[in-house]
């Protein structure tokens, strides 16, 4: 799947990116304006850029994700992957 970030003028190709997690969730608004939590995927490019993909109704919604948001999402939904990428979290 191809996504072009027109703000930064770069192309993302999920076939060439690493699928980091398919356990993450995204908050989306439906056609009625109601908020829903949807399952999605998180990809990382070879240059370290992040891309989020979520199935929304009949189409996929795609967008870039900053690293701080990635950390929060992985801590919440896929802690094993977080620790693999960013290091182990301190025990309470």
């Amino acid at each position: 799947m191809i996504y072009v970030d027109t703000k930064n003028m770069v192309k993302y190709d999920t076939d060439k990116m690493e699928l980091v997690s398919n356990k993450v969730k995204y908050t989306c608004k439906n056609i009625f304006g109601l908020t829903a939590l949807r399952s999605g995927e998180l990809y990382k490019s070879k240059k370290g850029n992040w891309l989020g993909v979520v199935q929304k109704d009949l189409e996929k919604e795609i967008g870039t994700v900053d690293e701080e948001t990635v950390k929060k999402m992985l801590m919440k939904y896929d802690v094993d992957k977080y620790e693999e990428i960013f290091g182990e979290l301190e025990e309470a």
Side-chain angles (χ1 to χ4, degrees):
M1 176 179 357
I2 302 289
Y3 171 73
V4 177
D5 178 356
T6 55
K7 180 181 177 187
N8 297 310
M9 299 303 292
V10 292
K11 176 176 72 172
Y12 292 82
D13 184 349
T14 57
D15 292 334
K16 297 178 181 177
M17 299 174 77
E18 173 190 1
L19 174 61
V20 173
S21 179
N22 61 359
K23 297 178 182 178
V24 295
K25 308 260 188 236
Y26 296 91
T27 304
C28 300
K29 288 192 177 192
N30 65 17
I31 59 173
F32 303 109
L34 300 173
T35 303
L37 201 58
R38 307 270 178 140
S39 296
E41 299 168 334
L42 187 61
Y43 291 87
K44 185 177 182 185
S45 73
K46 292 177 184 171
K47 292 184 177 180
N49 296 309
W50 297 91
L51 187 71
V53 179
V54 63
Q55 184 72 37
K56 186 178 176 189
D57 300 323
L58 300 175
E59 60 187 42
K60 290 190 178 192
E61 193 168 293
I62 306 166
T64 58
V65 184
D66 65 80
E67 191 165 283
E68 285 305 309
T69 303
V70 166
K71 288 179 178 181
K72 289 176 185 176
M73 289 169 54
L74 290 176
M75 275 192 260
K76 188 170 184 177
Y77 301 112
D78 196 350
V79 73
D80 292 335
K81 187 54 82 168
Y82 174 92
E83 291 184 325
E84 180 183 316
I85 296 170
F86 299 108
E88 289 196 30
L89 294 166
E90 183 179 339
E91 292 286 332

